């Protein structure tokens, strides 16, 4: 009689527990354990989202720069300060996409989540929401 082992490398996103086990709950904090495969899949999705954000906002930024540029007729009627705020917000979102890309790449390579990078990306997202709210409130 052969025993089938379901032991896989698993990690806890909350406390950082990492071991080869067949358990699905963390022995330290009782949260769900994620396999390296599922972590890599999530990392791939983060890479794709980061590329999409950087690509789309990069294109929109270049398009907007050409329409507010110094040469020719500009359709932008705002002030210089408003233009800087808009492009600063675009830059933050592109940076958020880059952070997502780097975090996802790390997950794909290691099969584990890097808490510091994940929280950095969350912090960038919070700054984006705060900045967007401030821009909406000011304008």
């Amino acid at each position: 009689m052969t025993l089938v082992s379901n032991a896989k490398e698993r990690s806890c996103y909350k406390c950082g527990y990492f071991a080869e086990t067949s358990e699905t709950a963390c022995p330290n904090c009782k949260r769900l354990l994620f396999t390296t495969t599922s972590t890599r899949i999530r990392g791939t999705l983060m890479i794709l989202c980061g590329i999409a954000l950087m690509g789309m906002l990069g294109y929109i930024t270049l398009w907007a720069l050409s329409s507010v540029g110094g040469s020719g007729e500009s359709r932008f009627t705002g002030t210089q300060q408003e233009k800087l705020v808009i492009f600063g917000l675009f830059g933050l979102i592109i940076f958020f996409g880059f952070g997502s890309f780097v975090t996802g790449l790390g997950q794909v390579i290691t099969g584990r989540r890097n808490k510091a990078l994940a929280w950095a990306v969350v912090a960038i997202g919070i700054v984006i929401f705060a900045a967007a709210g401030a821009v909406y409130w000011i304008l």
Side-chain angles (χ1 to χ4, degrees), residues 92 95-96 115-130:
L92 273 175
F95 188 60
F96 179 78
K115 272 189 175 181
L117 282 177
W119 280 110
V121 172
V122 168
I124 295 168
I126 291 170
V127 168
I128 289 170
F129 276 109

Side-chain angles (χ1 to χ4, degrees), residues 20-65:
E20 187 168 325
T21 181
S22 59
E23 297 294 320
T24 58
C26 178
N28 296 334
C29 65
K30 306 301 181 215
R31 296 281 179 118
L32 183 65
L33 291 175
F34 293 94
T35 64
T36 54
T37 303
S38 69
T39 302
R40 285 187 169 110
I41 290 170
R42 291 167 191 249
T44 301
L45 292 175
M46 286 182 72
I47 288 171
L48 294 175
C49 288
I51 288 171
L53 271 176
M54 289 187 297
M56 286 188 295
L57 252 309
Y59 177 78
I60 290 170
T61 302
L62 291 175
W63 173 80
L65 277 173

Side-chain angles (χ1 to χ4, degrees), residues 50-96:
I51 288 171
L53 271 176
M54 289 187 297
M56 286 188 295
L57 252 309
Y59 177 78
I60 290 170
T61 302
L62 291 175
W63 173 80
L65 277 173
S66 69
S67 69
V68 299
S71 63
E73 211 174 288
S74 175
R75 293 173 277 176
F76 183 73
T77 58
T79 65
Q80 183 71 16
Q81 196 173 27
E82 290 171 338
K83 188 188 325 181
L84 288 174
V85 168
I86 291 167
F87 286 111
L89 197 55
F90 284 178
L92 273 175
I93 296 170
I94 290 169
F95 188 60
F96 179 78

